[in-house]
Amino acid sequence: MAEAGSRTMDTRSRILDAAEVLFMENGFDGTSMRMITSRAEVNLAAVNYHFGTKELLIQEVFRRRLTSLNQARIAALEALEVEAAGAPVKPSRIVDAFFGTALRMAADVEGGGHTFMRLLGRTYTEPSEFVRQFLAEEYAECVDRFLAALYRAVPEVDRKEILWRFHFMMGAMSYAIAGTDALQLVTGKFDDEDPSQLAPRLMSFLLGGLRAPLAEASLRES
């Protein structure tokens, strides 16, 4: 009985692994169920049994890793809040808890984190309405917690400005983890493809953006 359950989980995992890679490489519309079954070495009946539809399969591909990613982010933030003992958490530490946690997953080549984060980055830049709605629901609690922490950390900055900066930071991370293909279009060959180097480079950029002078002040000075 246990052996049958193990085979079932193995089949399910193979389908998810195959779909994750193919969605990352080809997009959702460019990936057929036949491509997924061929890569996973299963038949279509197995996919239908475990997931039912392509839309539900897409959801499970995201939910498998995104749920744990957001849980890790919230756990990191809660630990910082306990350490701060009622005082606001430093903005740099809030940024690391949210973006750094994702970047550390992106550096995990062997465990599949790198592939998933590239898929997530591609999804941000090429969203479908179906996936957009699903991700909004998955992110809601986590993003609300982090925005509340940022509002406390930088009370002198208008909340609307913080929303814009968080939006820009999400965009920068999404573009970066999606891969270097777009950069190669304008710069030619791009040799540095070591995922472990992405985090320090991007975190420095994100923190610079968060700490930049307010837009209105910059316009007045110019």
Side-chain angles (χ1 to χ4, degrees):
M1 196 73 173
E3 184 178 347
S6 177
R7 286 199 303 270
T8 297
M9 288 303 296
D10 181 60
T11 299
R12 190 175 191 277
S13 295
R14 290 209 319 274
I15 295 169
L16 288 171
D17 289 344
E20 185 175 70
V21 172
L22 291 169
F23 289 149
M24 183 270 289
E25 292 177 347
N26 307 299
F28 302 117
D29 292 337
T31 300
S32 68
M33 295 296 275
R34 182 181 296 276
M35 292 165 65
I36 293 171
T37 57
S38 176
R39 187 181 183 95
E41 298 181 340
V42 299
N43 55 38
L44 185 59
V47 179
N48 291 334
Y49 171 77
H50 287 286
F51 304 102
T53 66
K54 185 177 180 181
E55 287 73 19
L56 291 175
L57 172 59
I58 292 171
Q59 288 184 4
E60 285 305 309
V61 166
F62 282 107
R63 190 176 285 118
R64 178 173 64 155
R65 300 193 201 272
L66 189 57
T67 297
S68 60
L69 171 61
N70 284 334
Q71 288 174 344
R73 284 165 158 163
I74 291 174
L77 179 60
E78 288 177 342
L80 292 173
E81 290 173 337
V82 169
E83 183 181 329
V89 178
K90 291 183 178 180
S92 61
R93 304 192 74 183
I94 297 172
V95 170
D96 181 70
F98 188 89
F99 296 97
T101 300
L103 291 171
R104 286 185 281 277
M105 175 180 276
D108 177 17
V109 176
E110 297 299 323
H114 183 56
T115 297
F116 174 72
M117 291 306 297
R118 287 199 65 186
L119 168 62
L120 195 57
R122 175 170 187 158
T123 303
Y124 290 149
T125 56
E126 303 174 12
S128 69
E129 189 57 38
F130 158 72
V131 176
R132 188 197 303 270
Q133 180 63 34
F134 172 73
L135 290 180
E137 294 171 358
E138 288 291 305
Y139 267 112
E141 178 186 359
C142 184
V143 169
D144 285 348
R145 291 286 301 275
F146 274 85
L147 286 175
L150 283 173
Y151 295 153
R152 287 198 68 209
V154 282
E156 69 279 8
V157 179
D158 183 80
R159 292 189 174 194
K160 186 176 181 180
E161 184 70 21
I162 291 176
L163 282 173
W164 272 109
R165 294 189 178 198
F166 193 82
H167 168 67
F168 294 148
M169 293 161 76
M170 285 285 286
M173 184 186 72
S174 303
Y175 188 89
I177 64 178
T180 61
D181 297 347
L183 187 58
Q184 289 176 349
L185 292 176
V186 293
T187 64
K189 184 166 178 59
F190 195 66
D191 294 324
D192 189 0
E193 297 180 353
D194 182 358
S196 68
Q197 296 303 306
L198 176 61
R201 286 193 173 100
L202 185 57
M203 287 301 294
S204 176
F205 180 82
L206 296 178
L207 288 172
L210 183 65
R211 294 166 175 160
L214 295 178
E216 291 181 3
S218 299
L219 289 173
R220 284 198 301 269
E221 291 172 3
S222 63

